[in-house]
Every structure is written in C-alpha cells, then in structure tokens.
C-alpha cells in the first residue's frame, strides 16, 4: 500500500493554483526527486503534502498507517536560521518535540534517538558546538538529524544542497542515499537533475502547464541527453 497517494492534486496558495494537476503514489522506500523551473510550485507542493497548505483541488491520502507526525521536513534554509544561537545537541533533540507532547523534559528514549541521528549524519563530534559557528554543510546535517528525530519513515527535503560547496554537496547526497537504503522514504526538491537521476527511484517534473511522474529509467529514456544540460538558477522563491 502506498505511503502517500495524490489524486489530481493541484497545489497553490489561498485557492490560487500554482501547479497543474498531478497524480502519483509514493511507496515505502522510494526516493522521489521533484524538479522544475523556479516558481513552478515545487515548495508549495511539498507544503501541501505536509498539510501546511490546503490543496486547491484533488487530494493527498496517507496510507500504510503513515501520519503527519512520522514525516520529517527540512525546509530551505534562511539567513536567520543560519545564525541560530543554540547548540547542535539542543537543535537535534528538539526534533523529538512532537513525541513528548506536554512533558517538560526529554526521556532517555528521546536522547537515544538524538544520539543515533547525530551518528547517522556523522556529526556526533559537533554535539556541543554552537550551531551558528558551523559550516553550511554541517548546519544542513544538523537540520537533517533534527528531521530524523521527528520522523523515522519519510523525510521531505527542500533543496538540501543549495549554497553548499561541491564537497559538502556530494557528502549530503551520500548521506541522504544512505538513509534511503536503510529504509527511509525520501522526497527531495532538487535543482540538479544530473544528481537527481543518480540517486532517485522516481522523478516528478512540476510545472503550471503539466506535471510528469516517471520512474527514473523512463525519465532518462524520455529526456535522454537533456539530463546533462539542464541546470536551473540557484534562487527559488515560491
């Protein structure tokens, strides 16, 4: 049974559509990359999947016992967040907040979750560092570790490598791929189609005219050489 099923979903703000209708299913273990030009509604689509925006029309159906509490989210980073004055440990641990409800303290189990997330992101040694002193790549790992504390089954990543240097970028892709191989379902907005097709199982092209959802092999066959000439601009304001 699909984790997420979208039926003729149109994403937008305040009832104004920004995407054309799209129908697709995400199975457990899938790695979906969402690609499309700036302003095509990629971020809005992800927010609709998360329930942060209401669908303009169509619907999002969660299956296989998935609830929104089991979804981790890594939004695009803003300058304000980069200057956040907390320790790595505090930020990662705060990802478990949706599990503690109103208890005023973290349990041993939540602390263990945070330790595991730090290990998976290979940043245990940064635990006591102040977040604002870290490099861009390290900050993204901290936020991804936080998302993992919030969710074990599905993570949604909005351009997680934007602004990173090539080394940090390739490390980030590698860590996300590793999570996926360990059974975490991944939905990622990506600017770099070349990288997307290396890791993804499916590609969703989003646009106002049409949306296409294809297994990655079909996408490559369909687009052929275009994959290697398609790079979008860096800024995505949606």
């Amino acid at each position: 049974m699909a984790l997420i099923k979208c039926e003729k979903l149109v994403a937008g703000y305040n009832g104004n559509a920004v995407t054309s209708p799209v129908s697709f299913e995400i199975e457990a273990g899938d790695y979906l990359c969402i690609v499309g030009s700036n302003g095509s509604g990629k971020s809005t689509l992800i927010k609709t999947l998360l329930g942060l925006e209401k669908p303009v029309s169509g619907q999002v159906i969660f299956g296989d016992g998935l609830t929104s509490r089991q979804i981790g989210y890594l939004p695009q980073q803003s300058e304000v967040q980069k200057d956040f004055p907390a320790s790595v440990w505090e930020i990662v641990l705060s990802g478990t907040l949706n599990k503690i409800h109103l208890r005023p303290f973290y349990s041993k189990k939540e602390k263990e979750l945070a330790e595991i997330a730090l290990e998976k992101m290979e940043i245990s040694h940064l635990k006591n560092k102040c977040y604002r002193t870290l490099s861009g790549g390290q900050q993204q790992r901290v936020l991804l570790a936080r998302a993992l504390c919030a969710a074990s089954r599905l993570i949604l990543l909005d351009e997680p490598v934007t602004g990173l240097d090539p080394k940090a970028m390739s490390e980030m892709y590698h860590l996300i791929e590793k999570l996926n191989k360990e059974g975490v379902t991944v939905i990622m907005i990506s600017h770099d189609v070349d990288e997307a097709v290396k890791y993804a199982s499916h590609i969703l092209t989003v646009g106002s005219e049409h949306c296409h959802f294809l297994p990655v092999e079909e996408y490559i066959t369909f687009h052929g050489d275009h994959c290697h000439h398609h790079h979008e601009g860096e800024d995505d304001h949606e």
Side-chain angles (χ1 to χ4, degrees):
M1 165 139 196
L3 280 185
I4 293 183
K5 187 176 183 182
C6 292
E7 293 183 344
K8 296 182 181 160
L9 177 66
V10 175
Y13 290 104
N14 306 325
N16 298 316
V18 290
T19 67
S20 52
V22 61
S23 298
F24 62 92
E25 293 187 10
I26 306 287
E27 304 282 347
D30 281 354
Y31 189 144
L32 171 67
C33 273
I34 302 176
V35 298
S37 59
N38 291 345
S40 60
K42 303 184 296 291
S43 295
T44 312
L45 178 65
I46 272 204
K47 285 175 184 159
T48 308
L49 295 181
L50 280 163
L52 300 173
E53 293 287 342
K54 284 200 169 88
V56 174
S57 59
Q59 55 181 345
V60 179
I61 303 157
F62 289 159
D64 203 13
L66 183 74
T67 68
S68 56
R69 280 178 176 269
Q70 295 168 316
I71 301 176
Y73 177 41
L74 184 62
Q76 285 185 37
Q77 234 187 324
S78 69
E79 289 307 314
V80 176
Q81 288 165 314
K82 288 178 180 161
D83 209 28
F84 199 63
S87 75
V88 166
W89 177 243
E90 287 167 331
I91 291 175
V92 174
L93 197 52
S94 71
T96 66
L97 283 173
N98 68 358
K99 297 184 173 66
I100 64 175
H101 305 303
L102 296 172
R103 280 189 283 126
F105 57 88
Y106 293 101
S107 71
K108 187 168 166 236
K109 184 164 178 268
E110 275 118 27
K111 288 177 181 164
E112 279 169 7
L113 267 177
E115 292 281 7
I116 290 165
L118 286 169
E119 274 169 36
K120 283 189 173 172
M121 290 297 104
E122 298 168 12
I123 51 172
S124 299
H125 61 294
L126 299 175
K127 182 175 168 181
N128 300 316
K129 289 261 190 271
C130 181
Y131 178 75
R132 57 156 62 132
T133 64
L134 304 181
S135 70
Q138 289 169 333
Q139 288 191 340
Q140 283 296 72
R141 289 181 186 214
V142 171
L143 296 179
L144 187 46
R146 183 181 186 277
L148 285 174
C149 277
S152 46
R153 298 183 67 188
L154 173 66
I155 47 173
L156 301 182
L157 312 166
D158 193 345
E159 299 203 15
V161 300
T162 297
L164 301 186
D165 63 64
K167 181 173 180 284
M169 208 178 259
S170 105
E171 285 169 357
M172 194 70 179
Y173 279 126
H174 173 69
L175 287 166
I176 296 165
E177 182 188 29
K178 201 170 86 175
L179 288 176
N180 181 242
K181 290 202 160 117
E182 287 168 4
V184 178
T185 307
V186 176
I187 299 177
M188 177 169 82
I189 293 178
S190 177
H191 254 325
D192 189 344
V193 181
D194 288 0
E195 287 299 326
V197 297
K198 276 187 209 165
Y199 302 110
S201 59
H202 297 76
I203 305 279
L204 173 63
T205 311
V206 176
S208 55
E209 301 296 318
H210 48 72
C211 294
H212 293 297
F213 176 73
L214 293 169
V216 75
E217 300 79 15
E218 284 182 39
Y219 179 88
I220 292 168
T221 310
F222 187 67
H223 289 267
D225 291 339
H226 295 305
C227 289
H228 300 287
H229 305 295
H230 185 78
H231 289 276
E232 299 293 351
E234 276 310 303
D235 295 315
D236 205 353
H237 301 295
E238 291 176 13

